Amino acid sequence: MQRAGFKVLAAIDFNNEAIQTFKANMAKDTLALHKDLTKFSPDQLAAQLGVNQVDVIVGGPPCQGFSTARQRDGANHGERRLIPDERRQLFREFLCYVGYFKPRIFVMENVLGIRSAAGGEYFTAVQKEARLLGYRVHGQVEDAWELGVPQKRRRQLFVGVRADLPAYFLPELKPAPRAEPRTWLGAAIGDLPILRAGGGDDERDYDFARRSEHVEHQGQTALNYLVNVLEIDRAAKLMNHIARPHSERDLRDFARLREGENSATAMRDRAVKFEFPYDKSSFKDRYTRQSRWHPCSTVVAHLSKDGLMFIHPTQNRSFTPREAARIQSFPDWFQFPIARTHQFRVIGNAVPPLVSEAIEKEAFN
C-alpha cells in the first residue's frame, strides 16, 4: 500500500508473530496492534488513531474456514471434508470496521472456496451485507501469476466502492510497474546458495558468482525479479535461508522424484515405489518436487508443518523461509525475526506484496 502511494495508519492482526514481523519491517509511525477483532471495537481503534474516517480498508478474514484443502490446517492430502468452523463468521467483524469508518474503498481477500462453501451462502452474504452499508460491491478472482508472482495462486477479492462516489473499481487488475507477468519459479530462487537438508544460516553472505551464473542462464526475467521485486541492492546480507531437517526415509523418497513431479505421477507413470508409510491410495501426492520452469504450487501456511509438497527443484530438501518469501514476492530486505515455524506460517498467510500493490494502485487511481 505504501508503494501505491498510501499512508498506512494502522495494522491489526490476531497473530502476534505477524505483528512482530510487521513492526520489524514497516514504518515506525504506523500503529501495529495484536488484537482480536471480536473484542476490539472500531471506536477503540478510532480513539487510538484520533480519526474516525479513512480512505481505504483492506483485510483478510481467516481463509482456513473456506479452504478447499482437505484438512482444517490446510494440508493438501487426505479425505475431503467440511468441518464446522466459527472462523467463517469473521467477515462480519471486517465489515463492522467498514461500517464505522466508511472508507471510500474496501478490499477483502479470501480463498476461492468461499464461493462454494455452504452453497455460496457466505459469498452472497459478504456482498449483501456490504451493500446494506452503502457500497457498490462485486467479487472478482485475481491470479497472482498474471501479476508477477511466481506461483499458482488464485484468490477471491471483494471490492466495495462507497455508493456516493462516481468512481468504479475496474475488475481487471494490471501488474505493478515493476512486475513481469508469468515469472517462473527458477527466476525467483535460482541464485540462492545450495543447501543440504538441515543446513544454512540465519544470516550469511550472498553467493555473487552463483547469482551471475543464474542471471546469465535465466535471463532478463530473473534480473528483473532480483532487482525490482526482491530489491537485492537493499539487502546487505541474505537472511532466513535455513533448510529444515528431514528424515533419511523422506530424503530417499525425495531423491526418487524428477523435477516437476509428485509422488502420484511417479507411481503411476514410472512405477516408483516410495517408502512413506501413509495410505498410498489417499496420500498419492504426499511429495511434490517443484519445477524451475513453471510457477510454484500455492505457498500456504501448512508449509510450517513439513514442507513435503515444496521440495526444491534441484536440491534434496524442502524450501527455506527465504525461498518461500521470494516466491510470495517479499523483498530480500524484509526480515522474519521469529521462529522458523512461525516464519512459514506468516509468509503463507500473507497476500503477496505484488498482488497488494496491483490492487492498491487501482484503488489509488
Side-chain angles (χ1 to χ4, degrees), residues 78-296:
E79 180 184 357
R80 288 184 182 272
R81 59 187 184 273
L82 185 65
I83 300 173
D85 195 327
E86 67 279 0
R87 291 174 293 184
R88 296 191 192 107
Q89 304 298 329
L90 292 177
F91 73 87
R92 292 193 169 93
E93 306 301 333
F94 175 84
L95 291 179
C96 182
Y97 275 71
V98 171
Y100 181 91
F101 285 100
K102 294 292 184 182
R104 297 166 64 88
I105 295 173
F106 76 79
V107 182
M108 192 186 101
E109 183 260 4
N110 215 286
V111 294
L112 296 186
I114 195 173
R115 300 174 67 89
S116 56
E121 172 186 338
Y122 298 99
F123 182 73
T124 301
V126 171
Q127 298 177 76
K128 179 180 178 180
E129 294 180 28
R131 290 184 181 113
L132 291 175
L133 294 174
Y135 286 83
R136 296 191 301 274
V137 61
H138 74 279
Q140 68 186 63
V141 175
E142 53 83 9
D143 186 335
W145 193 36
E146 296 292 346
L147 298 175
V149 182
Q151 65 175 291
K152 304 168 188 173
R153 191 184 193 95
R154 300 177 73 238
R155 289 293 185 263
Q156 178 68 53
L157 298 181
F158 296 92
V159 182
V161 178
R162 209 170 63 209
D164 63 316
L165 300 174
Y168 284 85
F169 189 96
L170 296 178
E172 292 188 8
L173 295 179
K174 296 179 180 179
R178 63 197 179 107
E180 182 177 320
R182 300 194 174 192
T183 295
W184 52 90
L185 172 63
I189 67 171
D191 69 308
L192 292 174
I194 296 172
L195 298 179
R196 293 178 179 271
D201 297 294
D202 199 49
E203 180 178 329
R204 61 171 294 172
D205 292 329
Y206 287 97
D207 185 337
F208 294 108
R210 182 172 173 81
R211 176 179 291 170
S212 179
E213 293 175 3
H214 168 66
V215 171
E216 183 178 353
H217 183 58
Q218 296 266 341
Q220 188 63 36
T221 296
L223 183 61
N224 178 74
Y225 203 81
L226 291 175
V227 174
N228 295 322
V229 178
L230 301 180
E231 299 180 324
I232 53 175
D233 58 324
R234 291 182 58 187
K237 295 284 187 178
L238 173 60
M239 308 291 292
N240 310 128
H241 188 48
I242 303 178
R244 60 155 48 93
H246 292 283
S247 69
E248 291 300 319
R249 185 202 68 209
D250 279 348
L251 291 175
R252 288 192 297 269
D253 276 349
F254 291 178
R256 293 179 170 98
L257 288 170
R258 295 173 177 172
E259 183 173 353
E261 186 178 54
N262 64 33
S263 46
T265 56
M267 287 188 288
R268 183 193 66 208
D269 298 342
R270 299 192 291 116
V272 174
K273 295 187 182 299
F274 290 94
E275 296 179 49
F276 65 80
Y278 316 103
D279 180 355
K280 292 178 175 57
S281 63
S282 298
F283 293 82
K284 290 181 179 180
D285 57 353
R286 180 69 179 174
Y287 302 123
T288 301
R289 185 180 289 280
Q290 301 294 327
S291 169
R292 287 168 290 177
W293 307 106
H294 294 90
C296 182

Side-chain angles (χ1 to χ4, degrees), residues 27-99:
K28 303 303 180 185
D29 60 349
T30 298
L31 185 65
L33 301 174
H34 173 218
K35 296 289 184 180
D36 178 347
L37 291 193
T38 65
K39 301 173 183 177
F40 185 69
S41 62
D43 61 319
Q44 289 176 288
L45 177 61
Q48 291 199 41
L49 289 176
V51 301
N52 58 14
Q53 201 276 322
V54 297
D55 290 317
V56 179
I57 293 179
V58 298
C63 64
Q64 287 84 354
F66 302 109
S67 177
T68 55
R70 301 166 195 158
Q71 301 277 353
R72 179 170 172 163
D73 66 1
N76 191 21
H77 47 71
E79 180 184 357
R80 288 184 182 272
R81 59 187 184 273
L82 185 65
I83 300 173
D85 195 327
E86 67 279 0
R87 291 174 293 184
R88 296 191 192 107
Q89 304 298 329
L90 292 177
F91 73 87
R92 292 193 169 93
E93 306 301 333
F94 175 84
L95 291 179
C96 182
Y97 275 71
V98 171

